[in-house]
Structure formats: structure tokens, C-alpha cells
């Protein structure tokens, strides 16, 4: 995980597996960032290789925590594979996904 930005403009990049073996650290990081800042928390998932139900559950939990804090958790860099998984699980209806323009 790599975090950047100020307390108002936060971004965290997740890398590797988002599964039962990593969710503890990811959950702690997301909850800490949500508690510290304001505005949207951008979660870059472009380099996430594998996501299982536990990993998706952490994202949903962080999304709900963000709503309670009157913030938004926004997924960016969503790969086609993760997009299919979000659609299959219908989480695309719950989680916010932002499509970013490719760098020129």
C-alpha cells in the first residue's frame, strides 16, 4: 500500500493480493485514512492481482464507514477483471468507481 495526498485529497494504491491473507492491513489502513481526512478517499486498485470475497468485503466495509463519516470511497484504476467481479457480485451498484483518463 502506498498513500499520497493531503488530509483532504487522499489516495491509496493497493498492490498484489486483496484476500484473506492481506485484509487486516488493508482494513486498518483504509479506516485510519478515513478517520484522518475529509473529501473522497481514492483507492487505486490497478495493481491488485487477486481479490476474493474477504477482500471485497473490506472494500464494502470501508465504503460504509466512509458514508458514516460523510465521505466517499472511490475505486480508481479498476481493471476489466475486477470490473467483471464487481458486476458478478453486483457490488458495482454499491461501490463508487471512477474511470480516469489515460495519461498522454
Amino acid at each position: 500500500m502506498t498513500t499520497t495526498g493531503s488530509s483532504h485529497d487522499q489516495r491509496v494504491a493497493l498492490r498484489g493480493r486483496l484476500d484473506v491473507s492481506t485484509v487486516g492491513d488493508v482494513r486498518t489502513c483504509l479506516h485510519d485514512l478515513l478517520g484522518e481526512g475529509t473529501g473522497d478517499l481514492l483507492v487505486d486498485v490497478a495493481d491488485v492481482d487477486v481479490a476474493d470475497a474477504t477482500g471485497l468485503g473490506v472494500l464494502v466495509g470501508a465504503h460504509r464507514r466512509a458514508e458514516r463519516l460523510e465521505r466517499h470511497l472511490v475505486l480508481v484504476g479498476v481493471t476489466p477483471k475486477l470490473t467483471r467481479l464487481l458486476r458478478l457480485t453486483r457490488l458495482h451498484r454499491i461501490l463508487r468507481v471512477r474511470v480516469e483518463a489515460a495519461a498522454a
Side-chain angles (χ1 to χ4, degrees), residues 32-85:
D32 288 349
L33 288 170
L34 286 167
E36 295 169 359
T38 60
D40 291 349
L41 172 59
L42 303 180
V43 180
D44 188 337
V45 293
D47 294 326
V48 170
D49 299 325
V50 177
D52 69 4
T54 308
L56 294 176
V58 166
L59 295 177
V60 171
H63 162 77
R64 289 184 178 145
R65 183 177 182 88
E67 285 185 329
R68 285 192 302 272
L69 296 170
E70 298 181 4
R71 298 186 66 190
H72 298 114
L73 181 127
V74 182
L75 300 179
V76 296
V78 179
T79 62
K81 182 178 178 180
L82 186 54
T83 298
R84 284 190 301 276
L85 183 58

Side-chain angles (χ1 to χ4, degrees), residues 9-46:
D9 182 23
Q10 295 174 299
R11 184 180 190 110
V12 61
L14 304 180
R15 289 182 174 70
R17 301 177 69 89
L18 182 57
D19 61 11
V20 70
S21 65
T22 61
V23 294
D25 293 336
V26 172
R27 180 184 300 113
T28 299
C29 177
L30 294 177
H31 285 209
D32 288 349
L33 288 170
L34 286 167
E36 295 169 359
T38 60
D40 291 349
L41 172 59
L42 303 180
V43 180
D44 188 337
V45 293

